[in-house]
Amino acid sequence: MADIVGYVFPNEHHIHWSLMIVTYPYITGIIAGAFIVSSLYHVFHVKALRPVSRFALIFALAFGFCCTWPLLNHLGHPERCFNIMITPHPTSAMAGFGYVYSTYMVVLLLEIIFIYRAVFARLLPQVSGFKATLYRILTFGNQDLSPATLAFDHKVTSWLALIGIPMACVLHGYVGFIFGGVKAVHWWLTPLMPVIFLLSACVSGIAGIILGYLLVQWVKKRPVDEECLSTLVKYLWGFLILDVSMEMLDLGVHAYLRVESWHVLEKLISGPLFTSFIVMQILIFSLIPLVILGILTLANIRGKALQYLAALCSVMLLIQVYCMRWNVVIGGQMVSKSGRGYTFYHPGFFEKEGILPTILILMAPVVILFILARIFPLWVTEEAENKL
């Protein structure tokens, strides 16, 4: 549902890109950010992140399975999604997602399989039935555990992780490219849009890994690796600084140049988007975590304080990134082409693209992650593998 303020053209009464299009880039962002966490260990050899390196990959895979769900729910004929493969259109940026997503998922799956091949080979004598059959398939029938084979697995994994980094960036950066290329919407038209989307993806991905890791450790009553958590907090703080800086720089450029569109954007920010953008995205869910993460990093705080404050900041930043997606996707559609009116969007709860379907789609990756954890040992360290 939408309310109208000022003069709005008849075809602009309805917000066409609703919660599903807000949720879609949110999920792809978490995928990209989680993959980068894993790559920091597998490619850049940040040893402190080893405890979450595999968890981050399975985390990305779980969200990857649900990545297309918001788009399919949004489409009137979701079965037509295969047309981008059957009748490809190389000049379509939106159709390009199908190729980027498919290729990225293949790379992600291959990296996971090569990382876990040795683990599955060692687990095979301990399992039976369906799980044993599945492990044989995932090892490609190769249970060789010789040093040469393990070295080959490690080498392939490193190369796949290296290839996956730019692909993960493209997977989410292209969303910002689509919005930034819409000339008719002044709120979207900025070359910084892909950069902002990508940096916020890193923030949401790292925040998701921190929160997931802490929740699992707390539920299982296992000790938290404070060196790993502290390192994640440092990277989260660094990416948050870059993200907030780019967002403020983009807004500052608009305000300083004061081009023809500024009088429209100024009223948009102080009107329909004031609460969601100024209050929630910037003041509450950006500045507060920015200060807390800075204190955690500079004061080198450890113990329960580190865990609880890291969890709090992670929750706040996951909300912040969703607010950012909302303000971009919904905010850009609130401005009428007349330049004299705005639309207020109020999503329904039970409607096809309403709040309930959004909650269900966001919860689905958590359920899938729980299932995947039954197949892929998330917390098996390299030393423990030899004892399997």
Side-chain angles (χ1 to χ4, degrees):
M1 299 177 63
D3 298 332
I4 309 301
V5 174
Y7 179 80
V8 178
F9 286 114
N11 64 328
E12 296 174 328
H13 287 189
H14 180 68
I15 298 291
H16 296 280
W17 286 1
S18 57
L19 273 179
M20 291 297 106
I21 310 302
V22 175
T23 305
Y24 156 64
Y26 183 72
I27 294 178
T28 61
I30 290 178
I31 297 170
F35 185 86
I36 288 174
V37 170
S38 176
S39 297
L40 286 172
Y41 171 72
H42 291 293
V43 178
F44 299 103
H45 307 295
V46 182
K47 299 298 183 181
L49 297 181
R50 184 172 63 181
V52 297
S53 60
R54 295 182 180 181
F55 172 68
L57 280 178
I58 306 301
F59 190 89
L61 181 63
F63 277 86
F65 284 140
C66 304
C67 179
T68 59
W69 292 11
L71 296 180
L72 294 176
N73 185 45
H74 175 73
L75 292 175
H77 290 275
E79 73 280 359
R80 295 180 181 176
C81 66
F82 297 103
N83 289 347
I84 63 173
M85 299 296 183
I86 300 172
T87 57
H89 200 299
T91 62
S92 172
M94 289 187 178
F97 164 74
Y99 301 99
V100 174
Y101 168 75
S102 301
T103 307
Y104 172 76
M105 287 299 289
V106 169
V107 172
L108 178 60
L109 283 168
L110 286 176
E111 182 180 353
I112 291 173
I113 288 173
F114 275 97
I115 285 177
Y116 277 95
R117 191 201 64 80
V119 177
F120 293 152
R122 293 188 175 99
L123 286 173
L124 262 174
Q126 306 174 23
V127 296
S128 59
F130 171 76
K131 208 168 189 179
T133 303
L134 180 61
Y135 282 179
R136 288 191 187 94
I137 294 174
L138 293 176
T139 57
F140 302 107
N142 179 16
Q143 283 91 51
D144 185 8
L145 296 174
S146 64
T149 304
L150 295 178
F152 176 79
D153 290 345
H154 179 73
K155 184 176 181 180
V156 173
T157 298
S158 298
W159 277 104
L160 288 172
L162 182 61
I163 295 171
I165 293 175
M167 294 189 66
C169 294
V170 172
L171 175 68
H172 192 66
Y174 105 98
V175 182
F177 170 79
I178 289 179
F179 285 108
V182 180
K183 300 178 182 178
V185 181
H186 300 295
W187 185 238
W188 296 345
L189 185 59
T190 167
L192 289 178
M193 189 64 72
V195 179
I196 293 173
F197 264 77
L198 187 55
L199 290 173
S200 62
C202 295
V203 170
S204 62
I206 298 174
I209 295 299
I210 291 176
L211 185 62
Y213 173 62
L214 287 174
L215 289 177
V216 170
Q217 298 302 91
W218 290 342
V219 170
K220 297 290 185 179
K221 296 182 179 180
R222 292 195 298 244
V224 173
D225 189 316
E226 293 194 350
E227 184 63 28
C228 174
L229 180 59
S230 179
T231 303
L232 284 170
V233 166
K234 290 176 183 177
Y235 278 105
L236 180 60
W237 187 44
F239 279 113
L240 179 60
I241 292 173
L242 293 175
D243 179 34
V244 174
S245 298
M246 289 298 105
E247 291 177 1
M248 294 300 97
L249 179 62
D250 178 53
L251 183 63
V253 168
H254 281 295
Y256 179 77
L257 294 180
R258 291 189 173 273
V259 294
E260 183 181 356
S261 61
W262 174 245
H263 77 282
V264 178
L265 299 181
E266 186 177 22
K267 293 179 181 178
L268 173 69
I269 296 170
S270 61
L273 290 187
F274 180 79
T275 300
S276 61
F277 181 65
I278 299 297
V279 177
M280 295 181 65
Q281 181 182 334
I282 297 178
L283 296 180
I284 298 178
F285 296 114
S286 288
L287 293 184
I288 294 177
L290 194 65
V291 173
I292 295 176
L293 291 173
I295 295 173
L296 291 177
T297 301
L298 297 177
N300 196 27
I301 295 176
R302 298 299 176 98
K304 293 295 184 181
L306 172 64
Q307 297 178 33
Y308 293 146
L309 289 176
L312 173 63
C313 290
S314 297
V315 172
M316 295 184 72
L317 289 176
L318 287 171
I319 297 174
Q320 186 262 5
V321 175
Y322 199 87
C323 288
M324 179 266 177
R325 303 294 188 268
W326 169 281
N327 292 325
V328 171
V329 177
I330 303 300
Q333 300 174 86
M334 287 181 173
V335 182
S336 174
K337 304 302 182 296
S338 68
R340 292 181 291 162
Y342 303 91
T343 300
F344 291 81
Y345 175 62
H346 305 285
F349 190 82
F350 293 103
E351 62 186 22
K352 180 173 178 286
E353 299 187 41
I355 297 174
L356 180 60
T358 301
I359 294 174
L360 294 177
I361 289 175
L362 289 174
M363 290 301 298
V366 179
V367 177
I368 294 175
L369 179 62
F370 178 80
I371 296 173
L372 291 175
R374 302 297 178 181
I375 302 173
F376 299 92
L378 301 181
W379 313 108
V380 177
T381 63
E382 293 175 0
E383 294 86 351
E385 286 179 19
N386 297 321
K387 300 178 183 180
L388 292 175

